[in-house]
């Protein structure tokens, strides 16, 4: 008896101490905590939305798809698909003050989507931390003059050629290890930084400078997240704003370089090709970049918005973040292409031979030009520091999705022990990422990135639309949102209804169908992946998605009645789908709960 009484008293004390945590004093929701102010939320979610893809993928897509003409489908898809989905996710997260697993109390049958989201973030955290380590290594390497990739120094082998002797007629390619005369920056990337092996079959030993940079990256993330949004909200004042300062500095320097205007013309200028608008692939690329850039169905928007005050104007926040995200992509492109134009000028090459994307742009093409500038270490440090801050901001939210989902699932046990949970998650991410910092690590990074950021994510977007829009229902969604931001007219909701019901699912299905018909086996440049590597990639996709049918079957087995009644019960919102705080639930949720209880009682009597 004494033992039971002590246990009960300890539970009460634990709950009280949790609610009265000094970090959450003054918050609307003292149990979970809220953002200290609106600025911290906006900076955090902007930092999450704007990642490395805005710098090293969008400019290339714009150039590839008609230059300035690409802005038309890019912003059209933002308006009709991107903003509605981003608004939907942030609104539901703010409404229930829960992470991406518990938000599926809306449709318990599909709660596996939330688990799949957490698994996706775990995999992304593994390889994304390694990409940040690449930026850190280059930033540290830039603290010397001349830059180590500007000439054949001690790291180079006998095949290294001076810049004047290097054959650049084939442009830049991050995969031509077999080419006799590679660009110095490409050789530095392959042979010094990555110490790249011949393929996925040859994993090789750990590359220790990458392992240490990866450790530093995850330690920075852990130290920023140990108090949750209360600590990360302070860090984003630096990590979200500084990239803009650096982009402005690089842009000012870039446009003063000879040949910069030629590069900008190809990016968004006189060389724009409006006829590209008639090609479906251009619209597919615009929609894909919009979804992936805003990280739709990744759970980050839900997680960050769940710490808002209940009556925060989530609609205006969604508009602001989406337009800032797309505007940043366009703005950063000027800084990138001004330098690409200068590169084409100094090597007397067509600009299409120097323009690339991804690792080739960030770690080969751009550093090559920076090495030719006066005071080259300064520009290199700025560029890679910008890449680091863009990456670490995204990693903050990826880790927060995992931690928040776990603390929401087991609040009594894990919420008071958040510091230990944060350390445990970060250590696990680091250890699981060690294969990515071996000599074959770049092949693992490419495999994980392509498999998690494409197929599985598109399937999750489709299922999210089915669950929230078609099962939970648009009318319920609108009623939930209006409880937070007030009543809106029928015409206000018309665009959202059309987008959620028709446009977005059709666009995602087209992208998914296009991905299937245009599928080609994954390669890293000229290096082909072995059959077992490709099979492993598809197994990763299966591991992400398998949680959806597993949870659905478990829910059906636990429900009562015949199959139809079980299906109907698991597709209806659960009893605890409601605003977190009782003062925000109002008559609507109280009435719905009573009605649902009465209906269940009546059905049991009939049975």
């Amino acid at each position: 008896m004494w033992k039971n009484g002590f246990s009960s008293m300890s539970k009460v004390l634990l709950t009280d101490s949790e609610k009265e945590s000094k970090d959450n004093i003054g918050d609307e929701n003292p149990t979970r905590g809220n953002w200290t102010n609106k600025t911290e939320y906006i900076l955090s979610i902007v930092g999450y939305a704007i990642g490395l893809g805005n710098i090293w993928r969008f400019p290339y897509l714009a150039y590839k798809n008609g230059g300035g003409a690409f802005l038309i489908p890019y912003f059209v898809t933002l308006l009709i698909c991107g903003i509605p989905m981003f608004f939907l996710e942030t609104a539901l997260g703010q409404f229930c003050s829960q992470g991406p697993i518990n938000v599926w109390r809306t449709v318990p049958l599909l709660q596996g989507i939330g688990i799949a989201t957490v698994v996706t973030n775990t995999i992304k955290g593994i390889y994304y931390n390694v990409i940040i380590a690449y930026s850190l290594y280059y930033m540290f390497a830039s603290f010397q003059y001349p830059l180590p990739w500007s000439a054949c120094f001690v790291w180079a082998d006998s095949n290294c050629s001076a810049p004047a002797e290097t054959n650049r007629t084939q442009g830049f390619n991050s995969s031509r290890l077999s080419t006799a005369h590679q660009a110095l920056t490409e050789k530095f990337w392959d042979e010094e930084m990555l110490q790249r092996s011949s393929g996925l079959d040859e994993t090789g030993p750990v590359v220790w400078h990458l392992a240490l940079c990866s450790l530093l990256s995850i330690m920075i993330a852990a130290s920023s997240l140990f108090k949750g949004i209360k600590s990360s909200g302070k860090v984003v004042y630096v990590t979200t704003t500084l990239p803009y300062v650096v982009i402005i500095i690089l842009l000012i320097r870039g446009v003063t370089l000879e040949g910069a205007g030629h590069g900008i013309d190809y990016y968004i200028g006189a060389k724009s090709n409006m006829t590209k608008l008639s090609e479906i692939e251009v619209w597919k690329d615009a929609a894909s970049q919009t979804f992936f850039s805003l990280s739709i169905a990744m759970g980050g928007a839900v997680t960050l918005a769940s710490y808002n005050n209940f009556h925060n104007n989530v609609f205006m926040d969604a508009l602001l973040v989406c337009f800032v995200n797309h505007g940043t992509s366009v703005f950063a492109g000027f800084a990138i292409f001004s330098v690409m134009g200068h590169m084409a000028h100094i090597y007397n090459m067509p600009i299409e031979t120097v323009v690339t994307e991804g690792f080739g742009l960030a770690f080969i093409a751009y550093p090559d030009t920076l090495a030719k500038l006066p005071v080259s270490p300064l520009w290199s440090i700025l560029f890679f520091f910008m890449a680091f801050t863009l990456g670490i901001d995204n990693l903050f939210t990826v880790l927060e999705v995992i931690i928040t989902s776990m603390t929401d699932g087991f609040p009594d046990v894990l919420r008071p022990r958040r510091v230990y949970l944060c350390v445990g998650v970060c250590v696990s991410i680091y250890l699981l990422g060690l294969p990515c910092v071996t000599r074959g690590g770049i092949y693992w990074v490419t495999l994980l990135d392509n498999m998690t950021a494409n197929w599985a994510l598109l399937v999750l977007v489709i299922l999210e639309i089915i669950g929230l829009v078609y099962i939970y229902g648009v009318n319920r969604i609108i009623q939930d949102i209006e409880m937070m931001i007030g009543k809106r007219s029928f015409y206000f909701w018309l665009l959202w209804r059309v987008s959620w019901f028709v446009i977005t699912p059709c666009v995602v299905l087209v992208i998914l169908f296009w991905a299937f018909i245009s599928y080609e086996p994954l390669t890293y440049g000229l290096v082909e992946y072995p059959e077992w590597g490709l099979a492993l990639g598809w197994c990763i996709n299966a591991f992400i998605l398998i949680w959806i049918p597993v949870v659905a079957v478990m829910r059906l087995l636990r429900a009562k009645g015949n199959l139809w009644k079980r299906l109907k019960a698991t597709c209806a919102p659960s009893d605890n789908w409601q605003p977190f705080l009782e003062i925000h639930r109002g008559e609507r949720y109280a009435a719905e709960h009573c009605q649902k209880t009465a209906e269940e009682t009546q059905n049991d009597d009939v049975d």
Side-chain angles (χ1 to χ4, degrees), residues 17-91:
S17 64
E18 179 187 347
K19 289 182 178 180
E20 295 174 3
S21 172
K22 64 180 181 179
D23 292 326
N24 296 340
I25 291 177
D27 288 344
E28 179 183 75
N29 187 341
T31 303
R32 282 183 96 248
N34 298 105
W35 296 100
T36 302
N37 54 59
K38 181 72 166 283
T39 303
E40 291 184 7
Y41 165 66
I42 294 297
L43 289 176
S44 295
I45 200 164
V46 165
Y48 171 61
I50 299 170
L52 293 170
N54 296 72
I55 305 298
W56 70 23
R57 178 161 172 78
F58 171 79
Y60 173 79
L61 286 178
Y63 159 79
K64 169 189 169 185
N65 292 304
F70 184 69
L71 295 184
I72 296 175
Y74 189 52
F75 278 93
V76 167
T77 54
L78 173 68
L79 290 173
I80 64 176
C81 297
I83 293 176
M85 287 304 297
F86 196 80
F87 176 38
L88 175 63
E89 292 190 353
T90 53

Side-chain angles (χ1 to χ4, degrees), residues 383-537:
F383 176 75
F384 289 111
F385 180 69
M386 175 190 69
F388 163 71
T389 53
L390 287 171
I392 202 71
D393 259 347
N394 209 280
L395 184 62
F396 287 163
T397 305
V398 168
L399 297 175
E400 188 61 57
V401 169
I402 302 170
I403 296 169
T404 294
S405 297
M406 296 176 72
T407 55
D408 285 344
F410 307 96
D412 293 338
V413 176
L414 295 180
R415 192 168 288 152
R417 300 170 178 83
R418 182 190 167 93
V419 174
Y420 303 107
L421 176 62
C422 178
V423 172
V425 168
C426 290
V427 169
S428 300
I429 291 291
Y430 175 73
L431 294 177
L432 290 171
L434 285 179
C436 296
V437 292
T438 60
R439 294 189 63 186
I442 188 64
Y443 304 111
W444 289 105
V445 169
T446 304
L447 179 69
L448 293 175
D449 183 32
N450 278 269
M451 287 302 178
T452 59
N454 289 310
W455 301 98
L457 194 58
L458 289 172
V459 173
L460 289 178
V461 174
I462 285 291
L463 293 177
E464 180 178 295
I465 294 171
I466 292 173
L468 295 178
V469 175
Y470 293 104
I471 299 179
Y472 182 64
V474 170
N475 288 335
R476 282 176 172 165
I477 291 172
I478 292 175
Q479 289 174 341
D480 291 342
I481 295 175
E482 288 184 337
M483 287 178 65
M484 297 183 291
I485 66 174
K487 291 287 185 179
R488 295 293 190 272
S489 68
F490 169 81
Y491 299 101
F492 174 86
W493 292 113
L494 184 60
L495 170 63
W496 312 111
R497 289 178 182 274
V498 173
S499 176
W500 291 332
F501 259 118
V502 182
I503 299 176
T504 302
C506 289
V507 169
V508 178
L509 286 174
V510 168
I511 296 173
L512 190 60
F513 176 74
W514 190 279
F516 272 112
I517 64 174
S518 61
Y519 170 74
E520 295 180 359
L522 179 65
T523 62
Y524 179 76
L526 301 179
V527 180
E528 297 183 355
Y529 277 70
E531 292 295 329
W532 68 266
L534 296 175
L536 178 62

Side-chain angles (χ1 to χ4, degrees), residues 161-435:
S161 302
E165 300 169 353
T166 302
N167 177 9
R168 297 180 182 275
T169 57
Q170 296 180 17
F172 293 84
N173 188 320
S174 62
S175 62
R176 292 197 308 276
L177 188 61
S178 60
T179 303
H181 297 288
Q182 293 174 300
L184 285 175
T185 48
E186 188 174 352
K187 290 183 73 68
F188 183 84
W189 162 257
D190 278 332
E191 299 176 13
E192 174 64 11
M193 207 278 286
L194 293 177
Q195 299 179 17
R196 180 161 68 91
S197 66
S198 59
L200 192 64
D201 290 312
E202 185 186 348
T203 300
V206 169
V207 181
W208 286 106
H209 57 254
L210 289 182
L212 291 174
C213 287
S214 178
L215 178 61
L216 177 60
S217 171
I218 203 69
M219 287 176 64
I220 293 172
S223 62
S224 301
L225 291 170
F226 77 103
K227 287 187 177 181
I229 59 170
K230 297 299 184 182
S231 53
S232 66
K234 304 298 184 292
V235 178
V236 294
Y237 280 104
V238 176
T239 57
T240 301
T241 57
L242 271 184
Y244 287 96
V245 176
V246 176
I247 291 173
I248 292 172
I249 294 173
L250 292 176
L251 176 60
I252 294 173
R253 184 66 184 98
V255 296
T256 63
L257 297 173
E258 194 171 2
H262 186 57
I264 292 174
D265 277 345
Y266 269 90
Y267 171 50
I268 300 176
K271 301 293 184 179
S272 297
N273 183 5
M274 300 300 291
T275 61
K276 284 278 189 177
L277 295 178
S278 61
E279 299 178 12
I280 188 173
E281 186 173 0
V282 174
W283 292 84
K284 186 268 296 181
D285 283 346
S288 299
Q289 179 64 14
T290 294
F291 280 115
F292 296 143
S293 178
L294 293 173
S295 299
I296 302 299
M298 283 293 292
V302 173
T303 300
L304 296 178
S306 71
Y307 293 102
N308 280 335
N309 291 334
F310 185 78
H311 291 294
N312 172 64
N313 193 338
V314 65
F315 170 67
M316 294 304 298
D317 292 347
L319 286 181
L320 175 63
V321 173
C322 290
F323 280 112
V324 168
N325 173 71
H326 273 45
T328 301
S329 298
V330 177
F331 181 58
F334 285 100
I336 298 297
F337 266 81
S338 60
V339 174
M340 293 295 99
H342 178 63
M343 178 186 293
H345 172 76
I346 61 178
Y347 291 125
N348 194 24
M349 297 165 53
I351 195 166
E352 54 265 24
T353 62
V354 301
V355 174
T356 184
E357 63 174 328
F359 298 127
L361 172 62
F363 300 110
I364 299 176
Y366 208 84
D368 184 84
T369 303
L370 294 178
K372 306 297 184 296
L373 301 179
V375 201
S376 55
L378 172 63
W379 308 114
S380 185
I381 291 169
L382 287 174
F383 176 75
F384 289 111
F385 180 69
M386 175 190 69
F388 163 71
T389 53
L390 287 171
I392 202 71
D393 259 347
N394 209 280
L395 184 62
F396 287 163
T397 305
V398 168
L399 297 175
E400 188 61 57
V401 169
I402 302 170
I403 296 169
T404 294
S405 297
M406 296 176 72
T407 55
D408 285 344
F410 307 96
D412 293 338
V413 176
L414 295 180
R415 192 168 288 152
R417 300 170 178 83
R418 182 190 167 93
V419 174
Y420 303 107
L421 176 62
C422 178
V423 172
V425 168
C426 290
V427 169
S428 300
I429 291 291
Y430 175 73
L431 294 177
L432 290 171
L434 285 179

